[in-house]
Amino acid sequence: MAFYYTEPSHTFNEYLLIPRYSSKEHSPQNVSLRTPLVRMKNGEEPQFTLNIPLVSAIMQSVSNDKTAIALAKEGGLSFIFGSQAIEKQAEMVSAVKNYKAGFVESDSNILPRQTLQDILDLKIKTGHTTVAVTEDGSAHGKLLGVVTGRDYRPSRMDRSLLVSEFMTPISKLTVGKEGISLAEANDLIWEYKLNSLPIVNEKGELVAFVFRKDYESKKENPNELLDEKKRYIVGAGINTRDYKERVPALIEAGADILCIDSSDGFSEWQKETIQFVKKQYNGRVPVGAGNIVDKDGFDFLADAGADFIKVGIGGGSICITRETKGIGRGQATALIEVAKARNEYYERTGVYIPICSDGGIVYDHHITLALAMGADFCMLGRYFARFDESPTNKVLVNGTYMKEYWGEGSSRARNWQRYDSGGDAKLAFEEGVDSYVPYAGPLHDNVQESMHKVKATMCNCGTLTIPELQKHAKLTLVSSASITEGGAHDVILKDIHANRT
């Protein structure tokens, strides 16, 4: 006979947090949002820790290298989408790892016999204004000079002018010698008022650049998520089909952590994929798995070796899995059960496996609710799709700027690899839609505001850390009338846009 849950499953919108006593100490500036990203044994530090509890979804319309860089600056992590050619995904991973290393390998290089037009074309391609002029035009050739935006004026110069005629030659450059420390390099930058410092070896060959903006970026982004070489940490999505070819390419490109992108994680396909990664890299490369919605699914993936486990099926704003297949569960109920299973697993084995709440986040306070219910961090799609950095187009719809947003289960994505059902290399039916979301501006501004709300709510709950919130939070179910009561009601709202020009 089929098993029946007697209680209905619930969403985040059906819960509220009950305030607890807060002291003067409970102020947002005292709150820490650090949270473990991967499994750890009792008493040990995890291999990776997030500085804010946010990761971006493994989606074409959400997570590319630009999103990954912007989110890493805030202390979160992106998983570069895997529904693309292996080479393209590896290039995005590499772009993130090379973006900020303190010592940055030059990706804008040119020959002295090339022209101003070539410089302009290169700027469009890379987006960078500092170009190394090397003897062979490579990133590590003998350095002959540097071209920056101060060396030319396109409106007043012949575009056929040779680079050698307007570059700043090596004889007029301040350079650092290979082996210089990052602190010493930054001292030279400030002493000579430079925007960049080329680093050369004893043969005069270019090794790297150190940029003033990277020093300033650290001051502006104290929560940056960096590896031991001061490079941004980045994740990559994989599937259960071509993982034997995709995983090595992603690791070679510098991916720090992997995550299986699948509609259902409770499968033999996921177990085989996890075990391949563990065996191939001797357990050094963490891999997350999912998605699941109950204790059985969690225990299966935990025993299979998953380093974190995603919770949620059918709760995403563009997901129609529940409509088309009739599977899934209310996100709050799923998370509460899996968090309990996680805690029981920890008591039984001494191994703590973080859980990621994936889907169902509509409002900022839902993030706090998810954390209080036991999530260690949240994976968001719609939230990040709204920002400047997402890969999609900004379009004008009925007078309002929107960003395109589509699901991995939609025909537009054509991501058949994430469905572990075997068969042909195509989607038999859609489990996602193609849509728009309101444009919201820069990632930085929005994440800062969202995290301030989370911190403020944690203070209301008398907690200063996520583990404290998970342990001490008090939650209550609310009625539909209570939900209505919680918003603006029985008033006529003013049109706040009416007097804007």
Side-chain angles (χ1 to χ4, degrees):
M1 179 178 175
F3 177 81
Y4 292 89
Y5 284 95
T6 56
E7 293 292 327
S9 62
H10 298 284
T11 67
F12 292 135
N13 219 36
E14 297 175 82
Y15 282 91
L16 288 174
L17 286 155
I18 301 296
R20 296 178 64 97
Y21 170 76
S22 57
S23 68
K24 293 180 180 179
E25 179 188 14
H26 292 100
S27 180
Q29 62 263 31
N30 294 330
V31 172
S32 169
L33 294 179
R34 283 174 58 83
T35 189
L37 177 61
V38 297
R39 70 162 58 206
M40 57 184 175
K41 292 182 179 179
N42 187 16
E44 296 182 358
E45 287 294 315
Q47 184 179 353
F48 292 105
T49 300
L50 296 168
N51 291 328
I52 61 171
L54 301 183
V55 300
S56 65
I58 311 169
M59 300 174 69
Q60 294 174 11
S61 55
V62 177
S63 296
N64 63 351
D65 49 327
K66 290 183 179 179
T67 299
I69 291 167
L71 184 51
K73 286 181 179 180
E74 303 304 320
L77 179 76
S78 286
F79 289 94
I80 304 293
F81 71 92
S83 51
Q84 60 178 320
I86 294 173
E87 297 77 13
K88 291 292 185 182
Q89 188 184 18
E91 285 176 10
M92 287 187 181
V93 169
S94 181
V96 178
K97 299 306 292 185
N98 290 327
Y99 179 82
K100 178 176 173 57
F103 297 94
V104 181
E105 183 174 300
S106 177
D107 70 349
S108 296
N109 311 288
I110 207 160
L111 291 163
R113 65 175 180 271
Q114 290 182 264
T115 66
L116 173 58
Q117 184 61 56
D118 293 321
I119 288 284
L120 299 176
D121 292 342
L122 187 59
K123 180 182 176 182
I124 292 172
K125 179 181 178 182
T126 66
H128 297 154
T129 57
T130 299
V131 179
V133 185
T134 59
E135 200 169 59
D136 60 1
S138 74
H140 299 294
K142 185 175 181 180
L143 184 64
L144 302 179
V146 170
V147 174
T148 70
R150 294 180 296 181
D151 291 314
Y152 59 88
R153 297 181 70 180
S155 62
R156 297 191 179 185
M157 293 169 61
D158 188 337
R159 298 197 177 196
S160 65
L161 192 66
L162 296 180
V163 169
S164 59
E165 297 182 51
F166 62 88
M167 72 182 187
T168 301
I170 185 71
S171 60
K172 294 183 178 181
L173 290 173
T174 300
V175 300
K177 298 296 183 181
E178 187 176 26
I180 189 174
S181 71
L182 188 57
E184 291 169 334
N186 281 320
D187 286 343
L188 285 176
I189 286 174
W190 282 98
E191 180 181 352
Y192 292 100
K193 297 180 173 62
L194 308 173
N195 286 322
S196 64
L197 178 72
I199 309 298
V200 298
N201 62 21
E202 59 184 13
K203 296 180 181 179
E205 297 166 332
L206 180 63
V207 175
F209 278 98
V210 176
F211 292 95
R212 174 190 289 263
K213 67 177 178 64
D214 287 340
Y215 176 78
E216 293 173 343
S217 174
K218 181 60 180 176
K219 292 193 297 181
E220 295 170 2
N221 302 288
N223 284 329
E224 285 181 317
L225 198 63
L226 304 172
D227 66 16
E228 69 282 355
K229 295 181 180 179
K230 306 301 182 184
R231 302 175 301 179
Y232 287 131
I233 292 175
V234 62
I238 60 174
N239 60 68
T240 58
R241 303 302 183 97
D242 65 7
Y243 59 89
K244 292 182 180 179
E245 296 77 37
R246 188 174 294 270
V247 169
L250 295 174
I251 300 304
E252 177 67 23
D256 297 288
I257 181 169
L258 305 173
C259 183
I260 302 172
D261 180 30
S262 173
S263 63
D264 176 18
F266 200 171
S267 74
E268 184 177 3
W269 301 95
Q270 290 229 353
K271 181 178 180 180
E272 289 182 354
T273 305
I274 294 168
Q275 291 178 344
F276 169 83
V277 175
K278 294 295 181 182
K279 182 178 180 180
Q280 190 79 4
Y281 298 97
N282 296 316
R284 297 191 306 272
V285 178
V287 55
N291 288 25
I292 50 88
V293 292
D294 66 358
K295 170 181 168 56
D296 293 340
F298 173 87
D299 288 340
F300 172 79
L301 289 177
D303 291 340
D307 290 291
F308 69 85
I309 295 173
K310 291 193 297 171
V311 181
I313 294 177
S317 60
I318 42 71
C319 183
I320 55 172
T321 294
R322 296 180 192 176
E323 289 181 40
T324 56
K325 296 170 71 175
I327 64 169
R329 198 175 193 189
Q331 186 67 10
T333 299
L335 187 55
I336 291 168
E337 179 175 326
V338 173
K340 182 180 178 183
R342 185 266 317 279
N343 295 341
E344 292 172 348
Y345 188 90
Y346 175 60
E347 292 173 3
R348 186 169 70 250
T349 66
V351 175
Y352 185 90
I353 302 177
I355 56 176
C356 168
S357 180
D358 179 16
I361 302 290
V362 180
Y363 305 108
D364 286 346
H365 75 271
H366 290 171
I367 298 172
T368 320
L369 285 168
L371 298 174
M373 291 172 182
D376 296 281
F377 54 96
C378 298
M379 178 173 279
L380 307 174
R382 181 194 61 84
Y383 178 87
F384 289 110
R386 303 173 300 146
F387 302 149
D388 288 324
E389 294 82 359
S390 75
T392 65
N393 296 319
K394 184 172 76 171
V395 296
L396 197 60
V397 180
N398 296 326
T400 301
Y401 279 109
M402 312 289 281
K403 292 275 281 187
E404 295 180 306
Y405 179 45
W406 61 91
E408 291 297 292
S410 67
S411 291
R412 182 171 183 175
R414 300 180 183 275
N415 186 9
W416 62 271
Q417 294 98 331
R418 76 190 303 269
Y419 300 96
D420 306 329
S421 56
D424 297 331
K426 63 181 182 180
L427 286 174
F429 53 88
E430 289 184 283
E431 291 188 40
V433 299
D434 195 351
S435 65
Y436 297 108
V437 289
Y439 167 67
L443 180 147
H444 170 77
D445 296 345
N446 286 275
V447 168
Q448 288 287 310
E449 180 178 336
S450 296
M451 292 301 94
H452 192 82
K453 290 179 183 177
V454 171
K455 290 180 178 181
T457 305
M458 287 173 62
C459 290
N460 294 142
C461 294
T463 60
L464 294 174
T465 67
I466 292 173
E468 285 182 6
L469 181 67
Q470 293 170 338
K471 184 176 181 180
H472 299 298
K474 293 171 65 177
L475 297 106
T476 181
L477 272 169
V478 296
S479 66
S480 57
S482 295
I483 295 172
T484 301
E485 180 186 60
H489 60 91
D490 300 314
V491 294
I492 299 174
L493 296 178
K494 294 180 180 179
D495 183 356
I496 61 173
H497 302 287
N499 298 318
R500 292 186 180 179
T501 57

